[in-house]
Amino acid sequence: MRIAADHVRPAVIPSIGLAIVGADFRTDCAPRRQAEINRCIAGERVTLRPLKRLVEGVPAVSVYSQRGRQIGYVSPTHADWARNLLPDIKAIFHKADSFGAIIRVATDGNAPTLPQPTRRGEMMRRPHEVPHEPVDEFCGIKFDRRRRA
């Protein structure tokens, strides 16, 4: 199969962000998980391990810091996906969040990478992309301002 010379393929597949939940659960373990999340540094290696029990009705995948302490579970919406790719997944800690944490995973055997930082308050956009002006769908509506008794 030939690829056209003008078609540029990315050298590295970008890593994917996964939500890690469980630090805000109302359990005895939650404060310990939150404390361990607070100790984690961006780029630090984390480990994913399958569990036999269910979390929110889904077979769980637990996440451990490089110190061997559990920081939570892969969110139930992505747990099956992560469980199927578990042997190939490499993961790093990205950041703490209100629900727990976010990790970055790579499934292609390469090391995951952190996203490029953006300036505070700036949305992530493609270069030279101008946002479209929003359409005002209510500009033609006339309101009856008379009070009804």
Side-chain angles (χ1 to χ4, degrees), residues 57-61 74-86:
V58 178
V61 176
V74 173
S75 67
T77 55
H78 293 97
D80 282 337
W81 173 83
R83 197 175 182 90
N84 290 334
L85 295 172
L86 216 45

Side-chain angles (χ1 to χ4, degrees), residues 18-25 34 37 71 95-102:
L18 282 182
I20 305 304
V21 298
D24 63 344
F25 289 175
Q34 190 61 50
I37 288 170
I71 61 173
K95 65 181 180 177
D97 210 312
S98 59
F99 51 81
I102 297 174

Side-chain angles (χ1 to χ4, degrees), residues 21-85:
V21 298
D24 63 344
F25 289 175
R26 291 189 172 138
T27 62
D28 296 337
C29 302
R32 289 192 298 267
R33 290 179 186 153
Q34 190 61 50
E36 187 60 26
I37 288 170
N38 292 337
R39 285 186 202 103
C40 289
I41 301 167
E44 186 175 283
R45 188 171 173 213
V46 294
T47 309
L48 282 71
R49 300 179 195 164
L51 287 179
K52 291 185 179 179
R53 68 186 188 100
L54 303 177
V55 173
E56 296 183 20
V58 178
V61 176
S62 58
V63 181
Y64 291 83
S65 69
Q66 72 179 19
R67 287 169 291 285
R69 295 190 182 110
Q70 186 178 14
I71 61 173
Y73 306 95
V74 173
S75 67
T77 55
H78 293 97
D80 282 337
W81 173 83
R83 197 175 182 90
N84 290 334
L85 295 172

